[in-house]
Amino acid sequence: MYQARFPNVDAQQAERRERAAWHGAISHAIPISLFVLLLLYYWFAAANRYIIFLYDHLGAQPFDRVTSSRYWMAGLVAAGMVMVLYTVTAWALARVRGPSFQVPLWNHVWALAAPPLIIGIPIITMSLNQPVLTPGLAAACTAAALIGLALALVPAGWAAARPAELVWLGADGLALVPVLLTMPALGLGGKTLNLPFGEVPIGWLVVISLVGGIFWLAVMTAMRRIAGMPMPGLFPVLLASFALHYLLLPVMHHFYRWKTLYISASDNFFARSVWLQLATWLVALLMAAGAFLTRRRYQSAPQG
């Protein structure tokens, strides 16, 4: 008779834990969603759009291809700011409050923060200031913010519980960033890029990025083995590189020219061609997969 009650007790305890987890996530989701909405309100409604979105820069118009890309890139910049602030805050609170501080599951926070953004971003971008965005551009801005936010929320849990592993993972992800950055430039139409130290052939930049990335992954593999650090999986490395390239770099670009603080165009981070962008992601995936398979072999090999 008593054994029959145990499943019900366990189910009730699991249900209470699940409710508590969702309640804890609310306290994180509310300020995050408000922060994103306030950022977008400032950029689209309060700030000077000629500065934020570079109207008239090199003849740019409010709805040409380059300027239109700045609208949805704003969603990624906002998500990148969330990633930086949320990760640093989680790390600091975990150090101050100790084990009593727990970061909610990222998907719980995302699920609670998403509805206000789905409603708020279109309202802001389609009704405030001039010119208002088209439904398609408003949807693109909303989608970019939601996708970026899903990626931005993940590092906080690592920063609170496993900060050293997060640093190692970020170092691994750094190996793929040059490829993600240079391969899309193949579709810009020119054969060279004008860098601060002179013009460089784009093809050579891609080759150097590829070889350098593979070399860096090899170095990280050796360093992890020497330090006794666990080898990461394929997708954590890939997602770390995406977080660095598509979230952190746009934020750094935004603050680089602190007097203007304009939103970058997508050409700085994405390929114009869908096929070239897919090829870029495929190369990054193959690099991460190669590192994963190599590390799995070394990890299973006896040390000493």
Side-chain angles (χ1 to χ4, degrees), residues 31-275:
I32 287 173
S33 58
L34 284 176
F35 177 75
V36 173
L37 290 175
L38 285 173
L39 273 178
L40 293 176
Y41 174 84
Y42 173 73
W43 289 332
F44 283 93
N48 186 340
R49 289 197 180 186
Y50 283 83
I51 296 176
I52 296 297
F53 299 116
L54 294 185
Y55 290 177
D56 286 346
H57 175 67
L58 299 178
Q61 297 301 308
F63 292 108
D64 63 20
R65 187 192 62 80
V66 173
T67 306
S68 294
S69 74
R70 297 185 194 276
Y71 298 141
W72 59 262
M73 281 295 299
L76 292 183
V77 175
M81 291 186 186
V82 169
M83 182 181 71
V84 173
L85 294 175
Y86 190 43
T87 301
V88 172
T89 301
W91 175 84
L93 289 177
R95 306 287 81 73
V96 172
R97 296 173 55 181
S100 63
F101 176 75
Q102 298 290 328
V103 176
L105 294 175
W106 73 266
N107 54 326
H108 285 183
V109 179
W110 185 89
L112 293 169
L117 300 184
I118 293 173
I119 297 172
I121 294 177
I123 291 176
I124 291 171
T125 57
M126 294 177 63
S127 63
L128 301 177
N129 210 335
Q130 291 294 328
V132 297
L133 296 194
T134 63
L137 286 175
C141 183
T142 305
L146 292 174
I147 295 171
L149 187 62
L151 192 58
L153 296 174
V154 176
W158 288 63
R162 298 174 290 172
E165 290 187 36
L166 179 62
V167 173
W168 281 88
L169 184 60
D172 273 312
L174 193 62
L176 308 184
V177 171
V179 168
L180 294 173
L181 192 61
T182 58
M183 274 195 67
L186 292 171
L188 294 180
K191 294 183 179 181
T192 61
L193 281 181
N194 189 13
L195 300 179
F197 49 82
E199 291 189 352
V200 181
I202 296 176
W204 277 109
L205 282 177
V206 174
V207 172
I208 292 171
S209 299
L210 181 60
V211 174
I214 294 173
F215 174 76
W216 182 245
L217 286 171
V219 170
M220 288 302 302
T221 300
M223 292 178 63
R224 280 181 175 273
R225 186 168 170 81
I226 293 171
M229 293 295 294
M231 301 292 180
L234 187 161
F235 288 107
V237 173
L238 191 65
L239 292 178
S241 69
F242 282 8
L244 292 172
H245 179 68
Y246 296 115
L247 298 184
L248 184 60
L249 286 187
V251 171
M252 294 174 64
H253 185 281
H254 180 63
F255 286 103
Y256 173 67
R257 300 184 184 276
W258 59 273
K259 291 184 179 180
T260 53
L261 297 180
Y262 64 87
I263 303 295
S264 171
S266 63
D267 284 349
N268 291 320
F269 302 99
F270 293 90
R272 293 180 182 179
S273 164
V274 173
W275 295 108

